[in-house]
Amino acid sequence: MTMNAKAAEHGARAAELEALVPATCLFHSFSDPSRLVILQHLQLGEHRVVDLTEHLGLSQSTVSKHLARLKDAGLVTSRPEGRASVYSLLHAEALTELLAAAEKLLALTGDAVQLCPVHGSPKTAS
């Protein structure tokens, strides 16, 4: 293989990986259980941070950080209401479809996911 061919192959691989960055960022947004609970809670309608902190039992700053991450990913939006911000889902129908597909996939692979040595629950794996 010539140097040019190797460089072209490397460039193609790099471009393929670069094209996956948005999907990686999106799926990373779902990687924290608290963010998933926030998304599920927002499926019920708009909520203020204080409502979410009460529901989750997390600090205001933690919930705000999760919401910022979800907002950066284009999954939630906010609007001012007095001194508070009210959060809601963007693309609620697509999110519902994605979460339903994830539940279907988990039904098929749940034990493998739960026992995964890298990301599975240590309590389950022991």
Side-chain angles (χ1 to χ4, degrees):
M1 185 177 279
T2 67
M3 276 302 248
N4 286 342
K6 285 182 182 180
E9 184 178 320
H10 178 70
R13 255 185 273 133
E16 184 178 16
L17 291 174
E18 184 67 26
L20 292 174
V21 168
T24 302
C25 291
L26 176 67
F27 282 108
H28 186 68
S29 297
F30 298 117
S31 69
D32 187 285
S34 295
R35 286 196 291 269
L36 285 174
V37 171
I38 289 170
L39 290 170
Q40 288 176 332
H41 208 60
L42 289 175
Q43 284 181 304
L44 302 172
E46 295 182 326
H47 287 83
R48 298 172 300 153
V49 173
V50 68
D51 302 327
L52 295 169
T53 59
E54 289 173 11
H55 178 73
L56 294 168
L58 298 173
S59 70
Q60 180 271 329
S61 63
T62 300
V63 171
S64 292
K65 287 177 187 175
H66 285 310
L67 286 166
R69 175 76 185 194
L70 294 169
K71 194 172 184 178
D72 289 344
L75 297 171
V76 301
T77 188
S78 65
R79 63 176 175 76
E81 187 175 276
R83 290 178 35 168
S85 292
V86 178
Y87 287 85
S88 61
L89 293 177
L90 286 170
H91 321 293
E93 187 176 326
L95 178 65
T96 299
E97 290 171 6
L98 178 65
L99 293 176
E103 287 178 7
K104 183 177 180 180
L105 188 57
L106 281 171
L108 298 170
T109 64
D111 288 340
V113 171
Q114 188 71 15
L115 296 174
C116 170
V118 175
H119 300 289
S121 169
K123 292 178 184 174
T124 305
S126 57

